[in-house]
């Protein structure tokens, strides 16, 4: 519902950032549910092993509208990513324990 309320919804694919998204479980759900015509989803994650796991998972699921940005969300690389990609919506999910 939040995505549908964005002023550019339906006019162009929206760019969604999942900050601290780990392996991309939330991002993968959004990418699959919304599809490439509606959204491009980028996970911003500082842990290299999670980025690699997430990329492999996205490939297996054939999610062409999901990518990963290796960056600390509070650092300069993340600031550059925001400037370059200009996200329309930013999400974050805090999950204690394993999300599998």
């Amino acid at each position: 519902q939040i995505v549908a309320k964005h002023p550019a919804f339906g006019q162009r694919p929206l760019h969604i950032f999942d900050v601290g998204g780990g392996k991309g479980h939330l991002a993968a759900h959004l990418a699959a549910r919304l599809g490439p015509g509606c959204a491009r989803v980028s996970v911003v994650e500082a842990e290299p092993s999670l980025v690699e796991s997430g990329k492999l998972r996205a490939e297996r699921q054939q999610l062409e509208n999901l990518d990963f940005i290796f960056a600390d969300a509070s650092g300069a690389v993340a600031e550059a990513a925001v400037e370059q990609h200009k996200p329309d919506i930013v999400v974050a999910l805090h999950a204690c324990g394993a999300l599998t």
Side-chain angles (χ1 to χ4, degrees), residues 13-100:
L14 299 177
H15 197 169
I16 301 172
F17 265 27
D18 180 4
V19 178
K23 295 178 187 176
H25 291 282
L26 173 61
H29 174 77
L30 292 171
R33 177 86 182 210
L34 297 171
C38 183
R40 172 127 198 105
V41 185
S42 296
V43 176
V44 180
E45 175 56 55
E47 176 58 47
S49 65
L50 296 178
V51 169
E52 288 307 312
S53 294
K55 285 180 180 180
L56 292 172
R57 186 171 179 263
E59 286 176 20
R60 280 194 311 271
Q61 293 181 346
Q62 299 178 338
L63 295 172
E64 297 174 11
N65 60 329
L66 174 60
D67 62 19
F68 287 76
I69 300 168
F70 173 58
D72 180 330
S74 66
V77 173
E79 288 179 28
V82 167
E83 185 60 32
Q84 177 184 356
H85 298 285
K86 308 233 185 286
D88 297 296
I89 299 170
V90 177
V91 298
L93 170 67
H94 177 77
C96 294
L99 234 179
T100 55

